[in-house]
Amino acid sequence: MTRDLDQFNKAMNAGHSAAWDQDWEEAAVHYRDAVAEFPENLKAIRSLGMALFESQKLEESMHAYLDAVQIDPEDPLT
């Protein structure tokens, strides 16, 4: 795990761009890259969960949200 903040930010921005265009599968690719850089980043995990949900990958989406709950059970967004 490299934990490269620049790569993380690029992946998140690319994911947000794809999500804005409603290209959910592309967004998921970028959000996965972001999560790979910082596996405990809630925003990245939640974004991945949303992209997977919108791509109809419901089981994968559920796992992303469950990961977020494990990190912060008190977070109202998960």
Side-chain angles (χ1 to χ4, degrees):
M1 172 178 1
T2 60
R3 299 187 70 87
D4 183 328
L5 185 58
D6 187 48
Q7 287 297 327
F8 172 82
N9 287 329
K10 286 178 183 177
M12 287 296 288
N13 288 335
H16 295 333
S17 239
W20 179 261
D21 294 337
Q22 296 187 358
D23 186 348
W24 298 110
E25 291 195 19
E26 183 70 17
V29 168
H30 295 295
Y31 291 138
R32 280 186 206 281
D33 291 344
V35 171
E37 290 296 330
F38 288 90
E40 294 188 359
N41 184 287
L42 287 174
K43 185 174 182 178
I45 295 169
R46 286 193 309 260
S47 296
L48 174 59
M50 179 189 66
L52 292 167
F53 178 82
E54 292 293 343
S55 297
Q56 299 299 305
K57 296 180 180 173
L58 303 181
E59 190 167 330
E60 290 179 71
S61 175
M62 179 185 68
H63 287 293
Y65 285 118
L66 288 174
D67 288 346
V69 169
Q70 291 296 317
I71 294 168
D72 186 359
E74 302 299 321
D75 183 9
L77 294 177
T78 52

